[in-house]
Amino acid sequence: MSGHGRARRWSVVVALVAVLCALPAVVAALPADDTDVPAADLRDAVLASAGVGFSGYAVSAGGLSLPVTDQLPAVADLLSDRIQLRVWWRGADEHRVDVVTAAGETGVHVDPAGTWTWEFESATAERSGPAPLRLPGPPDLVPASLGRRLLSEAADGELSRIGARRVAGRDALGLRLVPDAAASSVARVDVWADAATGLPLAVEIVAEGGSTPALDTRFLDLDLAVPPAGVVAFTPPPGARVREVRDPGGLLREAADRDLAPVRLPVELAGLARRDVAGAPAAVGLYGSGVTLLAVAPVPGRFAADLRSALAAAPGAVTDALGTRITAGPLGLMLVEPRGSGAYVVTGTVTPDALAEAAAALTQAPS
């Protein structure tokens, strides 16, 4: 009987463990309470959530197969893989995002004066200052910051409500953005915002012609409390290699700062108006608004040759008289090399036809 009693006791323990392990999935499957908040009001609540502090654990899954070049390896990895994000967020200019992959761990610490990037395995700390133009980084994939960015210029007519769901154990209200711009390669953006604070908890981006998200980022766990300043701050530990990043502006800044012939970019490309970016180099053009953006910059010959080879080797690459271009989900990337002048890199969330139209206009632009 004693053996039988022990077996029963263990069966109860096993059952309890099974129930505890299943709780996160059960909570996520619980129906979420929806409200009749209008789409435009929910957008406003999302944008007003910038002051909400939090910490949590998120995952981001990207399906953007970008070519790997000397200038783009980190971006290609960031937007092509499934990554884990540990986040401590005190504000837009004070936060920490740790990226955890099978290859190791990288911490990005942002403060008002710039950014520390800490490579744990190599014990290397990089310091860079603020920049008006830069390549995407881990903080850009945090659902809260990405959701606000994507909705920041959304017009009322582009928005609709899509019900509610449970995200990270919280009721999240759904908001869909369908861009109006004809040149847009984005079919829709779905943002799921915390019903209590407006904080975006999950974001899905679907490309034109796609059925699954090209980018899907969401919280799995979330604590809506401001994390301590000491958790976010960073000081290089003794023995660490420390180096300054000369070009915090990223690829486009590097291209524009080179000794290149000045160009006169048009005021409109592919039906998208040029916009002003404070502090951006004059040689760089940014066009469009909302989720439909197109960037243009002249590039030096060495970089052009590297990018040309990488693009030509990518699946689905198109090479014609205008240049070489690829698409990766909603993102288009093209190298334009007009005869008798330097090369341009053209990239953005626009259709292949819009890329070609922009390339044709650039080949005719006066220098």
Side-chain angles (χ1 to χ4, degrees):
M1 290 294 293
S2 61
H4 180 65
R6 284 195 298 270
R8 288 188 60 188
R9 287 195 296 272
W10 278 114
S11 67
V12 172
V13 172
V14 170
L16 287 173
V17 170
V19 169
L20 290 174
C21 290
L23 275 178
V26 171
V27 170
L30 290 174
D33 290 333
D34 197 2
T35 67
D36 58 357
V37 176
D41 290 350
L42 183 54
R43 174 206 54 205
D44 294 345
V46 167
L47 300 183
S49 71
V52 176
F54 60 88
S55 58
Y57 172 72
V59 293
S60 175
L64 308 185
S65 299
L66 293 171
V68 177
T69 70
D70 290 342
Q71 289 80 13
L72 292 175
V75 178
D77 290 344
L78 196 65
L79 300 180
S80 302
D81 295 336
R82 180 181 175 87
I83 61 174
Q84 303 171 32
L85 304 170
R86 292 201 300 255
V87 185
W88 297 264
W89 201 276
R90 291 174 56 83
D93 60 355
E94 191 180 6
H95 54 263
R96 168 184 171 186
V97 180
D98 288 357
V99 180
V100 183
T101 68
E105 183 173 333
T106 301
V108 178
H109 302 251
V110 174
D111 59 60
T115 301
W116 282 105
T117 301
W118 171 244
E119 297 284 351
F120 181 80
E121 279 70 28
S122 64
T124 300
E126 292 185 346
R127 181 62 170 173
S128 61
L133 290 174
R134 58 178 177 78
L135 293 171
D140 299 308
L141 293 182
V142 174
S145 57
L146 181 61
R148 283 194 295 268
R149 159 67 190 87
L150 295 175
L151 293 176
S152 62
E153 296 179 333
D156 290 0
E158 297 178 309
L159 299 172
S160 61
R161 286 295 316 281
I162 52 173
R165 65 167 60 165
R166 298 282 289 180
V167 181
R170 303 184 65 85
D171 289 342
L173 308 181
L175 183 61
R176 175 163 292 174
L177 163 62
V178 178
D180 282 339
S184 183
S185 57
V186 175
R188 68 179 187 273
V189 174
D190 291 343
V191 177
W192 303 90
D194 179 44
T197 64
L199 191 76
L201 304 181
V203 179
E204 298 177 0
I205 302 174
V206 178
E208 283 289 350
S211 57
T212 59
L215 184 65
D216 181 345
T217 180
R218 63 191 59 235
F219 283 110
L220 300 183
D221 182 70
L222 184 67
D223 179 9
L224 288 176
V226 180
V231 174
V232 173
F234 178 79
T235 300
R241 291 187 297 171
V242 180
R243 61 190 184 197
E244 293 284 333
V245 178
R246 188 183 75 77
D247 178 34
L251 173 64
L252 296 181
R253 182 89 186 202
E254 177 185 354
D257 284 347
R258 297 298 180 91
D259 185 18
L260 300 169
V263 293
R264 191 181 309 161
L265 293 174
V267 297
E268 181 180 289
L269 278 178
L272 303 174
R274 188 172 182 179
R275 58 190 295 162
D276 292 329
V277 180
V284 173
L286 185 63
Y287 298 80
S289 63
V291 299
T292 308
L293 294 172
L294 181 67
V296 181
V299 293
R302 179 187 58 79
F303 171 74
D306 183 30
L307 182 58
R308 186 189 315 115
S309 299
L311 291 177
V318 174
T319 300
D320 54 25
L322 295 174
T324 303
R325 60 188 179 272
I326 65 165
T327 57
L331 185 65
L333 180 62
M334 184 171 188
L335 180 67
V336 182
E337 299 180 273
R339 290 184 178 180
S341 63
Y344 301 87
V345 62
V346 183
T347 185
T349 48
V350 298
T351 64
D353 287 346
L355 277 181
E357 183 179 340
L362 289 172
T363 60
Q364 301 167 10
S367 58

mmCIF file with all atom_site columns, all heavy atoms in Angstrom, residues 17 51 53 64 72 90 108 163 169 204 207 284 293 309 331 346 354:
data_model
loop_
_atom_site.group_PDB
_atom_site.id
_atom_site.type_symbol
_atom_site.label_atom_id
_atom_site.label_alt_id
_atom_site.label_comp_id
_atom_site.label_asym_id
_atom_site.label_entity_id
_atom_site.label_seq_id
_atom_site.pdbx_PDB_ins_code
_atom_site.Cartn_x
_atom_site.Cartn_y
_atom_site.Cartn_z
_atom_site.occupancy
_atom_site.B_iso_or_equiv
_atom_site.pdbx_formal_charge
_atom_site.auth_seq_id
_atom_site.auth_comp_id
_atom_site.auth_asym_id
_atom_site.auth_atom_id
_atom_site.pdbx_PDB_model_num
ATOM 1   N N   . VAL A 1 17  ? 2.798   19.711 -12.115 1.00 0.00 ? 17  VAL A N   1
ATOM 2   C CA  . VAL A 1 17  ? 3.859   20.265 -12.972 1.00 0.00 ? 17  VAL A CA  1
ATOM 3   C C   . VAL A 1 17  ? 3.342   20.480 -14.382 1.00 0.00 ? 17  VAL A C   1
ATOM 4   O O   . VAL A 1 17  ? 3.604   21.505 -15.023 1.00 0.00 ? 17  VAL A O   1
ATOM 5   C CB  . VAL A 1 17  ? 5.091   19.339 -12.973 1.00 0.00 ? 17  VAL A CB  1
ATOM 6   C CG1 . VAL A 1 17  ? 6.081   19.776 -14.043 1.00 0.00 ? 17  VAL A CG1 1
ATOM 7   C CG2 . VAL A 1 17  ? 5.754   19.340 -11.609 1.00 0.00 ? 17  VAL A CG2 1
ATOM 8   N N   . GLY A 1 51  ? 5.872   57.352 -23.129 1.00 0.00 ? 51  GLY A N   1
ATOM 9   C CA  . GLY A 1 51  ? 6.383   57.569 -21.794 1.00 0.00 ? 51  GLY A CA  1
ATOM 10  C C   . GLY A 1 51  ? 6.223   56.379 -20.860 1.00 0.00 ? 51  GLY A C   1
ATOM 11  O O   . GLY A 1 51  ? 6.580   56.469 -19.688 1.00 0.00 ? 51  GLY A O   1
ATOM 12  N N   . GLY A 1 53  ? 7.257   53.097 -19.160 1.00 0.00 ? 53  GLY A N   1
ATOM 13  C CA  . GLY A 1 53  ? 8.444   52.292 -18.929 1.00 0.00 ? 53  GLY A CA  1
ATOM 14  C C   . GLY A 1 53  ? 8.064   50.834 -18.752 1.00 0.00 ? 53  GLY A C   1
ATOM 15  O O   . GLY A 1 53  ? 6.956   50.513 -18.311 1.00 0.00 ? 53  GLY A O   1
ATOM 16  N N   . LEU A 1 64  ? 13.296  38.398 -44.159 1.00 0.00 ? 64  LEU A N   1
ATOM 17  C CA  . LEU A 1 64  ? 13.862  39.253 -45.206 1.00 0.00 ? 64  LEU A CA  1
ATOM 18  C C   . LEU A 1 64  ? 15.256  38.754 -45.556 1.00 0.00 ? 64  LEU A C   1
ATOM 19  O O   . LEU A 1 64  ? 16.221  39.010 -44.850 1.00 0.00 ? 64  LEU A O   1
ATOM 20  C CB  . LEU A 1 64  ? 13.929  40.705 -44.730 1.00 0.00 ? 64  LEU A CB  1
ATOM 21  C CG  . LEU A 1 64  ? 12.629  41.286 -44.162 1.00 0.00 ? 64  LEU A CG  1
ATOM 22  C CD1 . LEU A 1 64  ? 12.807  42.754 -43.838 1.00 0.00 ? 64  LEU A CD1 1
ATOM 23  C CD2 . LEU A 1 64  ? 11.481  41.091 -45.141 1.00 0.00 ? 64  LEU A CD2 1
ATOM 24  N N   . LEU A 1 72  ? 26.609  45.166 -44.599 1.00 0.00 ? 72  LEU A N   1
ATOM 25  C CA  . LEU A 1 72  ? 25.271  44.793 -44.169 1.00 0.00 ? 72  LEU A CA  1
ATOM 26  C C   . LEU A 1 72  ? 25.145  43.525 -43.338 1.00 0.00 ? 72  LEU A C   1
ATOM 27  O O   . LEU A 1 72  ? 24.033  43.052 -43.165 1.00 0.00 ? 72  LEU A O   1
ATOM 28  C CB  . LEU A 1 72  ? 24.366  44.639 -45.416 1.00 0.00 ? 72  LEU A CB  1
ATOM 29  C CG  . LEU A 1 72  ? 24.036  45.899 -46.196 1.00 0.00 ? 72  LEU A CG  1
ATOM 30  C CD1 . LEU A 1 72  ? 23.242  45.537 -47.453 1.00 0.00 ? 72  LEU A CD1 1
ATOM 31  C CD2 . LEU A 1 72  ? 23.241  46.870 -45.362 1.00 0.00 ? 72  LEU A CD2 1
ATOM 32  N N   . ARG A 1 90  ? 13.416  52.589 -20.144 1.00 0.00 ? 90  ARG A N   1
ATOM 33  C CA  . ARG A 1 90  ? 13.073  53.741 -19.319 1.00 0.00 ? 90  ARG A CA  1
ATOM 34  C C   . ARG A 1 90  ? 12.560  54.898 -20.175 1.00 0.00 ? 90  ARG A C   1
ATOM 35  O O   . ARG A 1 90  ? 11.865  55.792 -19.668 1.00 0.00 ? 90  ARG A O   1
ATOM 36  C CB  . ARG A 1 90  ? 14.294  54.189 -18.528 1.00 0.00 ? 90  ARG A CB  1
ATOM 37  C CG  . ARG A 1 90  ? 14.709  53.188 -17.453 1.00 0.00 ? 90  ARG A CG  1
ATOM 38  C CD  . ARG A 1 90  ? 16.019  53.593 -16.766 1.00 0.00 ? 90  ARG A CD  1
ATOM 39  N NE  . ARG A 1 90  ? 15.974  54.927 -16.197 1.00 0.00 ? 90  ARG A NE  1
ATOM 40  C CZ  . ARG A 1 90  ? 15.469  55.226 -15.005 1.00 0.00 ? 90  ARG A CZ  1
ATOM 41  N NH1 . ARG A 1 90  ? 14.960  54.246 -14.254 1.00 0.00 ? 90  ARG A NH1 1
ATOM 42  N NH2 . ARG A 1 90  ? 15.466  56.471 -14.555 1.00 0.00 ? 90  ARG A NH2 1
ATOM 43  N N   . VAL A 1 108 ? 22.788  46.260 -26.257 1.00 0.00 ? 108 VAL A N   1
ATOM 44  C CA  . VAL A 1 108 ? 22.749  47.617 -26.799 1.00 0.00 ? 108 VAL A CA  1
ATOM 45  C C   . VAL A 1 108 ? 22.194  48.528 -25.708 1.00 0.00 ? 108 VAL A C   1
ATOM 46  O O   . VAL A 1 108 ? 21.040  48.382 -25.280 1.00 0.00 ? 108 VAL A O   1
ATOM 47  C CB  . VAL A 1 108 ? 21.869  47.695 -28.058 1.00 0.00 ? 108 VAL A CB  1
ATOM 48  C CG1 . VAL A 1 108 ? 21.812  49.133 -28.574 1.00 0.00 ? 108 VAL A CG1 1
ATOM 49  C CG2 . VAL A 1 108 ? 22.395  46.752 -29.136 1.00 0.00 ? 108 VAL A CG2 1
ATOM 50  N N   . GLY A 1 163 ? -10.287 43.675 -33.857 1.00 0.00 ? 163 GLY A N   1
ATOM 51  C CA  . GLY A 1 163 ? -10.595 42.858 -32.698 1.00 0.00 ? 163 GLY A CA  1
ATOM 52  C C   . GLY A 1 163 ? -9.527  42.923 -31.629 1.00 0.00 ? 163 GLY A C   1
ATOM 53  O O   . GLY A 1 163 ? -8.816  43.920 -31.493 1.00 0.00 ? 163 GLY A O   1
ATOM 54  N N   . GLY A 1 169 ? 0.012   37.738 -21.831 1.00 0.00 ? 169 GLY A N   1
ATOM 55  C CA  . GLY A 1 169 ? -0.926  37.669 -20.719 1.00 0.00 ? 169 GLY A CA  1
ATOM 56  C C   . GLY A 1 169 ? -1.793  38.889 -20.549 1.00 0.00 ? 169 GLY A C   1
ATOM 57  O O   . GLY A 1 169 ? -2.491  39.022 -19.534 1.00 0.00 ? 169 GLY A O   1
ATOM 58  N N   . GLU A 1 204 ? 2.965   42.835 -36.739 1.00 0.00 ? 204 GLU A N   1
ATOM 59  C CA  . GLU A 1 204 ? 3.151   41.971 -37.899 1.00 0.00 ? 204 GLU A CA  1
ATOM 60  C C   . GLU A 1 204 ? 3.131   42.828 -39.160 1.00 0.00 ? 204 GLU A C   1
ATOM 61  O O   . GLU A 1 204 ? 2.247   43.667 -39.330 1.00 0.00 ? 204 GLU A O   1
ATOM 62  C CB  . GLU A 1 204 ? 2.044   40.919 -37.984 1.00 0.00 ? 204 GLU A CB  1
ATOM 63  C CG  . GLU A 1 204 ? 1.992   39.963 -36.804 1.00 0.00 ? 204 GLU A CG  1
ATOM 64  C CD  . GLU A 1 204 ? 0.837   38.987 -36.898 1.00 0.00 ? 204 GLU A CD  1
ATOM 65  O OE1 . GLU A 1 204 ? 0.075   39.062 -37.888 1.00 0.00 ? 204 GLU A OE1 1
ATOM 66  O OE2 . GLU A 1 204 ? 0.680   38.148 -35.989 1.00 0.00 ? 204 GLU A OE2 1
ATOM 67  N N   . ALA A 1 207 ? 3.893   41.715 -46.602 1.00 0.00 ? 207 ALA A N   1
ATOM 68  C CA  . ALA A 1 207 ? 4.204   42.335 -47.891 1.00 0.00 ? 207 ALA A CA  1
ATOM 69  C C   . ALA A 1 207 ? 3.089   42.087 -48.896 1.00 0.00 ? 207 ALA A C   1
ATOM 70  O O   . ALA A 1 207 ? 2.307   41.133 -48.767 1.00 0.00 ? 207 ALA A O   1
ATOM 71  C CB  . ALA A 1 207 ? 5.525   41.788 -48.434 1.00 0.00 ? 207 ALA A CB  1
ATOM 72  N N   . VAL A 1 284 ? 21.975  62.714 -49.470 1.00 0.00 ? 284 VAL A N   1
ATOM 73  C CA  . VAL A 1 284 ? 21.035  61.629 -49.204 1.00 0.00 ? 284 VAL A CA  1
ATOM 74  C C   . VAL A 1 284 ? 19.615  62.153 -49.347 1.00 0.00 ? 284 VAL A C   1
ATOM 75  O O   . VAL A 1 284 ? 19.266  63.202 -48.810 1.00 0.00 ? 284 VAL A O   1
ATOM 76  C CB  . VAL A 1 284 ? 21.249  61.048 -47.795 1.00 0.00 ? 284 VAL A CB  1
ATOM 77  C CG1 . VAL A 1 284 ? 20.163  60.039 -47.458 1.00 0.00 ? 284 VAL A CG1 1
ATOM 78  C CG2 . VAL A 1 284 ? 22.623  60.395 -47.698 1.00 0.00 ? 284 VAL A CG2 1
ATOM 79  N N   . LEU A 1 293 ? 8.495   54.316 -47.597 1.00 0.00 ? 293 LEU A N   1
ATOM 80  C CA  . LEU A 1 293 ? 9.667   55.178 -47.619 1.00 0.00 ? 293 LEU A CA  1
ATOM 81  C C   . LEU A 1 293 ? 10.674  54.691 -48.652 1.00 0.00 ? 293 LEU A C   1
ATOM 82  O O   . LEU A 1 293 ? 10.813  53.482 -48.883 1.00 0.00 ? 293 LEU A O   1
ATOM 83  C CB  . LEU A 1 293 ? 10.331  55.226 -46.248 1.00 0.00 ? 293 LEU A CB  1
ATOM 84  C CG  . LEU A 1 293 ? 9.525   55.876 -45.115 1.00 0.00 ? 293 LEU A CG  1
ATOM 85  C CD1 . LEU A 1 293 ? 10.229  55.678 -43.782 1.00 0.00 ? 293 LEU A CD1 1
ATOM 86  C CD2 . LEU A 1 293 ? 9.294   57.363 -45.388 1.00 0.00 ? 293 LEU A CD2 1
ATOM 87  N N   . SER A 1 309 ? 27.881  42.565 -56.766 1.00 0.00 ? 309 SER A N   1
ATOM 88  C CA  . SER A 1 309 ? 28.102  41.117 -56.727 1.00 0.00 ? 309 SER A CA  1
ATOM 89  C C   . SER A 1 309 ? 27.106  40.424 -55.812 1.00 0.00 ? 309 SER A C   1
ATOM 90  O O   . SER A 1 309 ? 26.565  39.363 -56.142 1.00 0.00 ? 309 SER A O   1
ATOM 91  C CB  . SER A 1 309 ? 29.537  40.817 -56.271 1.00 0.00 ? 309 SER A CB  1
ATOM 92  O OG  . SER A 1 309 ? 30.478  41.360 -57.164 1.00 0.00 ? 309 SER A OG  1
ATOM 93  N N   . LEU A 1 331 ? 10.748  44.873 -48.597 1.00 0.00 ? 331 LEU A N   1
ATOM 94  C CA  . LEU A 1 331 ? 11.923  45.732 -48.778 1.00 0.00 ? 331 LEU A CA  1
ATOM 95  C C   . LEU A 1 331 ? 12.544  45.532 -50.158 1.00 0.00 ? 331 LEU A C   1
ATOM 96  O O   . LEU A 1 331 ? 12.815  44.407 -50.577 1.00 0.00 ? 331 LEU A O   1
ATOM 97  C CB  . LEU A 1 331 ? 12.955  45.428 -47.696 1.00 0.00 ? 331 LEU A CB  1
ATOM 98  C CG  . LEU A 1 331 ? 14.196  46.338 -47.667 1.00 0.00 ? 331 LEU A CG  1
ATOM 99  C CD1 . LEU A 1 331 ? 13.789  47.767 -47.330 1.00 0.00 ? 331 LEU A CD1 1
ATOM 100 C CD2 . LEU A 1 331 ? 15.209  45.818 -46.664 1.00 0.00 ? 331 LEU A CD2 1
ATOM 101 N N   . VAL A 1 346 ? 19.518  52.550 -53.837 1.00 0.00 ? 346 VAL A N   1
ATOM 102 C CA  . VAL A 1 346 ? 18.117  52.938 -53.668 1.00 0.00 ? 346 VAL A CA  1
ATOM 103 C C   . VAL A 1 346 ? 17.435  51.821 -52.888 1.00 0.00 ? 346 VAL A C   1
ATOM 104 O O   . VAL A 1 346 ? 17.485  50.658 -53.296 1.00 0.00 ? 346 VAL A O   1
ATOM 105 C CB  . VAL A 1 346 ? 17.417  53.133 -55.032 1.00 0.00 ? 346 VAL A CB  1
ATOM 106 C CG1 . VAL A 1 346 ? 15.984  53.598 -54.836 1.00 0.00 ? 346 VAL A CG1 1
ATOM 107 C CG2 . VAL A 1 346 ? 18.187  54.114 -55.906 1.00 0.00 ? 346 VAL A CG2 1
ATOM 108 N N   . ALA A 1 354 ? 8.229   50.625 -58.610 1.00 0.00 ? 354 ALA A N   1
ATOM 109 C CA  . ALA A 1 354 ? 8.595   51.931 -58.059 1.00 0.00 ? 354 ALA A CA  1
ATOM 110 C C   . ALA A 1 354 ? 10.112  52.087 -58.005 1.00 0.00 ? 354 ALA A C   1
ATOM 111 O O   . ALA A 1 354 ? 10.643  53.176 -58.257 1.00 0.00 ? 354 ALA A O   1
ATOM 112 C CB  . ALA A 1 354 ? 7.990   52.107 -56.666 1.00 0.00 ? 354 ALA A CB  1
#
